[in-house]
Each structure stands twice: as structure tokens, then as C-alpha cells.
Amino acid sequence: MHEKLKVRYHIGGTFPVIDREKWDSESCNFSCFSSYTFAKCEIHILDCITHSSCHKMYKQLFVTILFIYLFVCLFIFPFTPSTASLHRAISHGECSGDSPASGGGSSGGTASLSLSVCFSPVTRAFPVGGVSFVSHFSLPSLKHIGFAPRLRAVMLRSCARGPQDALRCALPAAVPAVCDRLRECAARIPEAREVLTILEKCTKQQCKGDFPIVVFEGLDATGKTTVTQAVKDALDAVLLRSPPACISQWRTIFDDEPTPIRRAFYAAGNYILASEIAKASTQAPVIVDRYWHSTAAYTIASEINGNVQNLPPVQDGVYQWPEDLLKPDLVLLLTVSPEERARRLEHRGLEKTKEEAEMEANSLFRQRIEESYRRMMNPACQEVDANPSKEEVLKTVLQLIKKHCAL
Ligand SMILES: Nc1ncnc2c1ncn2[C@@H]1O[C@H](COP(=O)(O)OP(=O)(O)O)[C@@H](O)[C@H]1O
Ligand SMILES: Nc1ccn([C@@H]2O[C@H](COP(=O)(O)OP(=O)(O)O)[C@@H](O)[C@H]2O)c(=O)n1
């Protein structure tokens, strides 16, 4: 009647989004993409259990998790200076073990238990951390223990569903959410108040004019600046870019902030830009260098770890265009091979952004951005092969614009 379930639960030095597939019963391999150090603790919950000790095990587990929660809330948030740099704190642990077949037919098979300790993304000034649990019990014998379903129900009630929820927090996809986020940090970052003031003035004028709106998206150095300028000249259009000029002087400030604040800045930029687009589209065609798809794709790619399979599934809500944001008529996604992009970056020779450096070091990050772009919906991106010469790319792009927009 003995079941052996070896559980090792580990919370790493940072609280990254854990790549679940990299966890095994022996160790936890955290793939960190965040450099913020938060806390370090390693907990070995239990080593060996028998049926009779299952009940005890869950209690022990629960108490341990409560302990972590209290430890984090009472000690780390208020006192640790690194709270200031904590912006994403999610950890996942999964544990499983094979149990030998047992007598009596009441148990056997594989025991698996998964735990998720999820902290909501935390802004510097207003930690909104909380711990919630998800627990799955697939060990047949556990069904007979009354405590397990009750515990599971309690855990699920307070459950935040892991990385996807963190993603939604990181990506404020409506004006009220953007305003709330900026308001939260305005006491510490005066520029947030300025952005908020501009945003509040802009959200009224969101109706587009009769001229088409064409957005260009793509990774850095795929040729957006080059082609948007050429299209502007060719169509006698208005060229706008995100974040818009009226707030771009504060960009470096927000780029150093934790994800939720940083993305709130870019999201606000899109809404502010929308009113400029609306106005300009009454006068001429509007060409836009980056818009919502950039904000979404970069957020998704940096909040999710590992390869593209870990991205939220196709059709997930995170790929939807925000309901309250002015839609463009056409979105063109410029793509180039990694080699060509590297050549162009080298040739351009500008200082690399943090994301650019990360992309170079991590080709999975680049793949996640591109795949997120491809999954965006309503409007979806139309892909353009931007490997050919500038003239050829311009020709292709103009043909697409003529085909899709009334020009
Ligand atoms: N089709 C192209 N073929 C070759 N080089 C290009 C092409 N388009 C752009 N470039 C060059 O690549 C570099 C990056 O282009 P840029 O327009 O600044 O990209 P982005 O705005 O997407 O970062 C620039 O030096 C530019 O001259
Ligand atoms: N609408 C936007 C525009 C930019 N961004 C962010 O800004 C970065 C790219 O800005 P950039 O100025 O380097 O763009 P390009 O010079 O490549 O056109 C992206 O990596 C995004 O993180 C965003 O999130 N949303």
C-alpha cells in the first residue's frame, strides 16, 4: 500500500514565468528572462508518502504554501529594496513520480500533483501580489480522500491561471486599464501623470476619416522606417509612428520600468496616436510605423518563455485588437531572414535596445515575437517578404495597399 511520491518544490532566485516543460520530478529548471532578483528559497516539501499520510501531506503542503505567502507579503514586499524592481513574479512547480502498483486495487498508477504559486505582476509603487494555487490530483486513490477535493476547490477558487493571467495584466488592452496603471505609478513617476493628461484629452476623437490607414509592423531593422518613408512620398500620405512624438521624450524613463508600467506607456501611446490617426485620415492616407500589434507581440513574447508552442493558443483573447482602439485598414508585417536582419543591424550600427540584445542572444524570443504577430486578429497582419531590395519591397507594398484600400 505504499506509494512513493517524490516532490521537490523550488522557488527560484527570480520569479520568472516558468517553462512548465522544463520541470521534472528531480529538479526545476527555471528559464529566467528577468534579471530582477527577488528572493531565494528552496523547499523540499516531502519525500515519501503513504496513503495514510496523504491527508497529512496536503495539510503540510497547504501550510508550506501559506508560509511562503506570508513570508513574501510580510517580509519581502515591505522591506526588500528589490521590491522596487519586481515586476513579474510567477513561479510554477510541477512534480510527479511513479508509484509502484499496489495491492487492494485502491491505488497505483502515476501520481501527479501540480502546484502553481502565482504572483500578479507588481508595479513598483503598488505591489498587488497575491498567491494562488492550482492543484490537480490524478492519483486515483486520492479521490477517496475527502480532504483532497475540498482543498482543490479552495485552491481553484482563488486561482489565477498562471502565465496567461500575468500576460493580461502586463498588457492593458483598454483605456480604463491603461489609465488605472498610469494613475497607480503617477506619484512615483511624474511623467505618468503627463501621459495620462494627454491620453484623457485624446480618447474622445477616435473616428476615422475617409482615407485609408496602413500600419507597418515587424522586428527591428526589417525596413519599416525605410519603407514607410517611401510609401509616404509615393502616396503623399501622412506618416505617424508609435509612440507618438508628444510622449516619446519620456520613452527612456518607461523603458526602465517594470513590464506593466512599460506596456501601459506604449498602450497609452497607441491610444494617443489613434486620435492623431483619426484626424489625419480626414486629410490624406495615413501610414503608421508600429501600432497595437507591436505592443501586443512584444509583450506576449517577453511574458512567455521557451519556444513558440508555449504561446497562448491561436484565437486566444490576447491576440484580439482592443475594442476601444481605432482600427487600421491594413497591417503589413515585414519579415526578413535572421541573417539579413543581422546584416542590416550591423550596417545601421545604432545602439542596440535591451530587447534587441535579448533577441540576438535568444532566437526563441525573436520567433515568439514573429509568431505573436502572425496570430494577431481583427485585423490580422499581412506578411510581406522584406528580404528583396528597397525598390522591390516598395513595389510589393504599394501593390498591396492599392489592392486592399480604395486608392
Ligand atoms: N529592402 C532593404 N534592403 C536592404 N537594406 C535595407 C532594406 N530596407 C532597409 N534597409 C536598411 O536596413 C537598415 C534598417 O532599416 P530600417 O528602415 O531602419 O528598419 P526598422 O525601421 O524596421 O528598424 C537600414 O540601414 C536600411 O537602410
Ligand atoms: N506601439 C508600440 C511601439 C513600440 N513598442 C516597443 O518599442 C520597441 C521598438 O521600438 P523602436 O523604436 O526600436 O522601433 P523601430 O526603430 O524598430 O521601428 C518594441 O520593442 C516595443 O517594445 C511597443 O511596445 N508598442
Side-chain angles (χ1 to χ4, degrees), residues 216-225 241-244 251 255 262-263 265-267 269-270 273 289-299 302 348 350 353 355-356 359 365 369 373:
F216 285 80
E217 292 285 0
L219 296 176
D220 208 10
T222 47
K224 295 181 298 302
T225 309
R241 80 182 316 263
S242 166
R251 197 172 171 180
D255 273 346
R262 180 163 181 230
R263 295 304 171 195
F265 169 79
Y266 284 106
N270 292 321
L273 181 65
D289 185 345
R290 293 192 188 273
Y291 195 25
W292 179 261
H293 287 55
S294 275
T295 310
Y298 280 84
T299 306
S302 33
R348 187 167 67 174
L350 294 176
T353 62
E355 274 163 336
E356 192 51 46
M359 245 186 282
F365 182 53
I369 297 172
Y373 268 135

Side-chain angles (χ1 to χ4, degrees), residues 38 160 225 391 404 407:
F38 179 49
T225 309
E391 295 71 27
H404 289 273
L407 274 177

Side-chain angles (χ1 to χ4, degrees), residues 265-320:
F265 169 79
Y266 284 106
N270 292 321
Y271 284 99
I272 295 167
L273 181 65
S275 69
E276 294 179 11
I277 295 173
K279 210 164 144 199
S281 67
T282 61
Q283 310 289 321
V286 186
I287 305 303
V288 188
D289 185 345
R290 293 192 188 273
Y291 195 25
W292 179 261
H293 287 55
S294 275
T295 310
Y298 280 84
T299 306
I300 297 166
S302 33
E303 290 301 304
I304 302 294
N305 236 2
N307 61 27
V308 293
Q309 269 104 31
N310 296 349
L311 289 173
V314 176
Q315 304 283 325
D316 189 283
V318 292
Y319 303 117
Q320 281 288 352

